[in-house]
Amino acid sequence: MAAPRPPPPGALGVGVGGSGGAAPAAGAPAGVSMRMFHGEVYLGEMEVFPMKQGGEGGLPFPSNEIRVSRLSPASERCPPLAILQTIAPFSVRCKLQTKLTPPNPSLQRLYLTCFNEFKSAVVVVGDEELHLVAMPTKSGKVPCFWCCSARSGLYAASVGMLNLRCLAIVFDLDETLIVANTMKSFEDRIEMLSRRMDVEDDPIRIAGMSAEIKRYIEDKELLKEFIDTDTVTDNGKIVGTQKEEVQPMSGGQERVLRPVIRLPDRNAILTRINPEIRDTSVFVKLRPAWEELRSYLTAKGRKRFEVYVCTMAERDYALEMWRLLDPEGNLISPQQLSERINCVKSGSRKSLQNVFRDRGCHPKMAMVIDDRLNVWDDKDQHRVHVVPAYTPYYAPQAEMANAVPVLCVARNVACNVRGGFFREFDENLLRKVFELYYENGLLDLPYAPDVGDYLVCEDTNFVPANKDQAPIPEGMRGTEVEKRLNGQSYRWEQREGQQMSSLTRSPDDEGMPIRGTGGVRTIQPNGGSLAITPSVYVTVLQEIGRLCDSKVEFRSTVSNGKSMLFSVEVLFSNEKIGIGIGKTRDEAQVQAAEKALQNLESSYLSSVAPVAGVPKKDSRKSPGSGNGFLEDAPCSENDISMREPSGSTLKLDDSNNMDKLSSIMSLIREHCLEDQHVVFRDQVQNSSPARNEEYHFQVELAGLILGRGVSSDREAAKLLAAEEALKTLKSTTDPQIKKYLRPVR
């Protein structure tokens, strides 16, 4: 529950009139007198106080007058300051209060309307909106405002999303949701595999490649039949095309009917990008469990997420692929398609700022589902949930061999992100905003949640252990789509090197490698395990309980100490099997679930082997070693030291090191700006069996190394790195580091 809202001026038993108003604090910047208007209506003289000493940066109002052009949309539950702190943190430019006593009645009406209806008075200055937020005062005598700046249009878009408890989700297409091939791409892949088979000596790999070629040939023949006859023969049954109408986008266009054949048993669709050109026919494989994910996004007719697409594919192709995924337009309406489908030039990096170029959402309120992390701008990577690349030809059973399919994991991650974001928004941000008065300062504003706080992102700087060949990419990407569909000549071999660079093979693998969210995992030609991120440990644990017909419970408490840490215990059939500690309940729950999975391994592994995310482990190695995970949490809220990776030998019940690490991370958090992310990078060096493994950690802030730690104990290495990082923050004179630190009060 949010704290009660302070009463507006005049509600404290003191009249609005009287002598004087809320005087500025001693030492505060001097005020500047300006005239204020609502449209052409004069409201009176206002005294404007810059937020910084000396008025650094100047006052934002042109011509030394304040001209309100409109009021913002009303908010049902979110005061304007909470919205502005979410989309434009710490953007308070100045404070305003009336000079007249009593105030002009028109100004008083404007103030009370804004205060009671959760509106702001908007002053437009170029491409910026200045929002005048009505604030309560401790004196209760004068109408007064905080002036916050935001990008034009962003506030109006965010009001509805925050009121409806809605976030944004951005999907990649190729190898994330679909794999698509033309006749030419089928032929290239078959030729590539055939050449590999000619030089391969391993009979197991030869058998795997032979089976993969057979699957390519089977779908290639279906596509050829579709091109020649507009029919396919599926399991002895002839299936004809259906004419599907393409809904016109905004701006108007001619009605288009595409020939389409849907084969639900194969999870496949055949379509023609240009209905008049048969060579633009495409065979599309849809990733299993897409329907479950799609249903969650719009359950019961209420949107939980606003949906966007960001792809490196050609635009006509991207629009048709999305139409196949969302044929009824429930996720993106036809009128929104032109602005919601974002096509990035091949070789460029994806960016949430470009995705939201219409300012429909702030990047802090958006998560991404993609099979590659390094295609995104560095500043967006902590908001990306990386899924294993979809490989229906290389490993057709991999998706369904696990109890939790990849897109169901993505659905659960999205659910956890949304729940965590709005729990923080309601329990922290709203509560503290309701406690603020006009007399408070900039540093009294609370931390605003970021989607990246609730995701564990992947480190893509994984160095392959050897030079073994990896499976070829299965679908078309970027310029390949455009060239194939336009009939231009293209040599797959020219792109093989750069497309293979992110796929690697483990030196001890007996099967074939597949890249996933956790680096490289082994999988057999007929299916196998997929990588899983720590953010779904809870889901996996609950699935284990279901399979074992055992009850899984989470019990949480808050410590009474100054640290205010949350503690969560996991009970499995009423037996305590794991405990987690964190700065938030979600963090402690994830850690407790991970610890429980470790403790269950020896007793229950035979019962849960099919479940994703519970692989057999080498007792000498930590499964977190070199797996590509970043233990990434913002220094402003989550204590990153409490994200204990799998395989750690540290006991939470005897955690002197953990307590010390927690204290150090709290101090590091106090030094950092609210929106900066501190990262522990796990750089484990694999040793020979005769030697113990060393753990190498380094602490980074915005890519800058603050400290390093090396030890045979994982947590000791983290502690050493954190101690050195704290010393660096306290003593640094480096301007590149200091710009990410809080100003000294």
Side-chain angles (χ1 to χ4, degrees):
M1 290 285 293
R5 183 171 173 82
L12 297 175
V14 180
V16 174
S19 60
V32 177
S33 180
M34 294 188 186
R35 296 192 305 164
M36 183 170 176
F37 299 84
H38 186 184
E40 299 300 324
V41 178
Y42 177 65
L43 301 179
E45 290 284 327
M46 301 294 289
E47 197 166 8
V48 183
F49 300 91
M51 289 301 291
K52 298 181 180 180
Q53 280 282 6
E56 298 173 18
L59 294 174
F61 305 107
S63 305
N64 279 343
E65 70 174 23
I66 306 162
R67 192 169 292 274
V68 175
S69 59
R70 65 178 184 276
L71 299 186
S72 70
S75 173
E76 296 175 7
R77 62 171 93 181
C78 305
L81 188 59
I83 298 170
L84 289 160
Q85 179 66 359
T86 301
I87 63 174
F90 304 99
S91 64
V92 184
R93 302 281 296 276
C94 57
K95 296 181 179 182
L96 296 79
Q97 65 181 29
T98 183
K99 295 184 70 174
L100 299 177
T101 52
N104 185 307
S106 297
L107 175 61
Q108 180 72 1
R109 283 194 297 272
L110 174 71
Y111 172 86
L112 291 175
T113 297
C114 291
F115 190 93
N116 294 323
E117 298 179 16
F118 284 170
K119 295 180 179 180
S120 67
V122 182
V123 178
V124 178
V125 180
D127 197 35
E128 181 182 42
E129 291 176 350
L130 301 175
H131 290 262
L132 307 185
V133 179
M135 297 291 292
T137 71
K138 293 179 180 179
S139 66
K141 292 182 179 179
V142 254
C144 47
F145 302 83
W146 280 14
C147 172
C148 306
S149 62
R151 294 176 64 198
S152 178
L154 185 57
Y155 183 95
S158 302
V159 169
M161 292 180 66
L162 291 173
N163 279 327
L164 295 174
R165 296 302 188 257
C166 180
L167 297 175
I169 190 166
V170 182
F171 287 107
D172 174 50
L173 291 177
D174 293 303
E175 295 192 22
T176 297
L177 300 180
I178 61 157
V179 164
N181 280 287
T182 62
M183 286 295 292
K184 185 64 169 62
S185 66
F186 272 138
E187 291 166 359
D188 284 342
R189 282 149 180 77
I190 293 169
E191 180 185 352
M192 178 66 66
L193 285 169
S194 299
R195 288 206 304 270
R196 288 191 179 184
M197 286 180 63
D198 291 341
V199 297
E200 182 59 66
D201 296 327
D202 187 333
I204 295 178
R205 290 177 177 169
I206 290 175
M209 286 187 278
S210 177
E212 189 175 354
I213 288 176
K214 182 179 178 181
R215 289 188 280 269
Y216 274 120
I217 291 175
E218 183 179 352
D219 286 350
K220 174 176 171 279
E221 292 303 317
L222 288 175
L223 180 59
K224 185 176 188 306
E225 186 178 1
F226 173 68
I227 292 173
D228 294 341
T229 67
D230 280 345
T231 63
V232 297
T233 304
D234 183 29
N235 293 325
K237 180 182 178 181
I238 298 177
V239 182
T241 60
Q242 298 292 324
K243 299 294 185 180
E244 294 188 2
E245 183 174 358
V246 179
Q247 294 292 327
M249 293 186 294
S250 57
Q253 62 185 43
E254 294 183 5
R255 182 167 174 259
V256 175
L257 294 175
R258 282 203 177 98
V260 175
I261 296 178
R262 294 180 181 266
L263 303 175
D265 292 342
R266 291 177 176 266
N267 229 30
I269 304 176
L270 295 98
T271 186
R272 195 165 293 147
I273 306 300
N274 186 336
E276 306 301 323
I277 304 176
R278 291 182 176 269
D279 284 343
T280 63
S281 298
V282 182
F283 189 99
V284 184
K285 288 269 195 181
L286 304 186
R287 192 161 204 162
W290 163 247
E291 287 300 321
E292 287 84 346
L293 175 55
R294 184 175 70 164
S295 298
Y296 164 74
L297 296 174
T298 57
K300 300 179 181 179
R302 174 185 170 185
K303 278 193 176 182
R304 293 185 168 107
F305 285 84
E306 293 289 345
V307 178
Y308 293 76
V309 173
C310 186
T311 176
M312 291 184 177
E314 185 267 341
R315 187 163 184 79
D316 287 344
Y317 165 87
L319 289 168
E320 175 61 3
M321 294 304 105
W322 183 254
R323 189 190 69 82
L324 298 178
L325 290 163
D326 183 30
E328 297 175 355
N330 292 328
L331 299 181
I332 303 178
S333 70
Q335 293 73 29
Q336 295 174 317
L337 278 174
S338 60
E339 58 193 39
R340 295 286 182 98
I341 305 292
N342 187 255
C343 294
V344 178
K345 184 178 180 181
S346 183
S348 302
R349 298 187 87 182
K350 298 179 180 179
S351 163
L352 286 176
Q353 185 174 349
N354 290 333
V355 171
F356 303 130
R357 58 193 182 278
D358 65 335
R359 298 164 192 187
C361 179
H362 192 281
K364 291 178 63 173
M365 296 170 58
M367 67 174 291
V368 178
I369 306 291
D370 203 325
D371 68 297
R372 295 188 292 174
L373 181 64
N374 58 358
V375 298
W376 285 91
D377 275 355
D378 293 343
K379 63 185 177 183
D380 295 325
Q381 289 187 5
H382 67 290
R383 301 180 182 116
V384 180
H385 171 63
V386 184
V387 297
Y390 180 34
T391 55
Y393 296 99
Y394 174 71
Q397 302 302 319
E399 292 286 319
M400 305 309 294
N402 301 288
V404 186
V406 169
L407 291 187
C408 285
V409 171
R411 175 199 62 193
N412 296 341
V413 169
C415 181
N416 290 338
V417 165
R418 179 172 173 268
F421 182 97
F422 284 109
R423 188 177 302 114
E424 175 72 16
F425 185 87
D426 291 337
E427 296 178 4
N428 179 53
L429 180 65
L430 279 184
R431 179 178 62 83
K432 292 182 178 178
V433 163
F434 278 124
E435 295 171 355
L436 292 176
Y437 287 85
Y438 172 82
E439 291 79 6
N440 284 103
L442 188 65
L443 294 179
D444 296 320
L445 284 166
Y447 170 75
D450 186 320
V451 159
D453 298 354
Y454 310 98
L455 284 169
V456 178
C457 73
E458 175 189 2
D459 184 359
T460 56
N461 298 320
F462 178 79
V463 180
N466 65 4
K467 304 295 184 183
D468 285 356
Q469 286 184 318
I472 63 174
E474 302 202 350
M476 300 180 294
R477 286 190 183 272
T479 56
E480 184 183 1
V481 173
E482 184 175 6
K483 292 187 177 183
R484 292 200 190 286
L485 295 180
N486 289 340
Q488 300 177 19
S489 62
Y490 184 78
R491 292 183 59 80
W492 167 255
E493 293 80 4
Q494 293 175 345
R495 298 181 70 244
E496 179 189 8
Q498 65 186 88
Q499 290 282 10
M500 301 302 175
S501 60
S502 60
L503 301 173
T504 62
R505 186 182 297 276
S506 172
D508 299 325
D509 287 351
E510 294 180 0
M512 293 183 289
I514 181 171
R515 79 185 147 106
T517 57
V520 176
R521 297 287 174 88
T522 302
I523 125 175
Q524 299 302 319
N526 63 345
S529 67
L530 291 174
I532 192 166
T533 63
S535 56
V536 291
Y537 288 138
V538 175
T539 301
V540 172
L541 186 61
Q542 291 170 338
E543 185 65 24
I544 290 173
R546 185 186 67 79
L547 293 175
C548 297
D549 197 24
S550 300
K551 185 178 181 181
V552 177
E553 295 180 86
F554 291 89
R555 294 182 181 175
S556 64
T557 58
V558 181
S559 68
N560 294 323
K562 294 181 180 180
S563 61
M564 290 300 291
L565 297 177
F566 290 90
S567 175
V568 174
E569 295 178 347
V570 180
L571 301 182
F572 193 88
S573 295
N574 296 318
E575 177 184 352
K576 186 169 78 170
I577 61 171
I579 184 171
I581 301 174
K583 299 294 280 187
T584 66
R585 284 191 180 88
D586 288 345
E587 183 179 343
Q589 185 182 50
V590 168
Q591 186 186 115
E594 182 184 4
K595 192 70 176 178
L597 290 175
Q598 296 172 24
N599 293 333
L600 280 175
E601 181 177 23
S602 59
S603 301
Y604 291 93
L605 187 58
S606 60
S607 301
V608 301
V611 181
V614 194
K616 294 182 180 179
K617 301 176 186 175
D618 183 339
S619 61
R620 293 181 293 103
K621 296 182 179 180
S622 162
S625 301
N627 70 350
F629 282 128
L630 291 185
E631 298 176 84
D632 187 3
C635 55
S636 55
E637 176 58 25
N638 293 337
D639 186 345
I640 64 178
S641 68
M642 305 308 295
R643 292 182 186 261
E644 180 193 355
S646 304
S648 171
T649 59
L650 185 68
K651 299 296 183 184
L652 291 176
D653 296 9
D654 308 309
S655 56
N656 290 334
N657 280 348
M658 288 288 281
D659 291 340
K660 187 174 181 181
L661 184 58
S662 176
S663 299
I664 292 174
M665 292 311 303
S666 296
L667 293 173
I668 290 176
R669 183 172 65 251
E670 291 176 3
H671 281 77
C672 297
L673 290 173
E674 297 284 357
D675 59 348
Q676 295 306 315
H677 293 264
V678 173
V679 175
F680 267 122
R681 288 197 186 274
D682 181 352
Q683 298 183 328
V684 175
Q685 307 296 315
N686 291 326
S687 305
S688 64
R691 297 173 55 194
N692 290 330
E693 195 171 60
E694 279 190 341
Y695 293 89
H696 293 236
F697 276 94
Q698 65 186 38
V699 178
E700 296 182 7
L701 173 63
L704 302 170
I705 298 174
L706 302 180
R708 291 187 172 93
V710 180
S711 175
S712 59
D713 179 79
R714 184 183 187 87
E715 298 305 320
K718 291 173 70 175
L719 179 59
L720 290 170
E723 287 176 335
E724 185 177 322
L726 181 58
K727 291 178 183 177
T728 301
L729 292 179
K730 287 182 175 180
S731 61
T732 185
T733 58
D734 186 345
Q736 291 300 316
I737 295 178
K738 292 184 72 173
K739 69 181 181 181
Y740 297 113
L741 305 183
R742 290 177 182 268
V744 179
R745 299 193 191 193

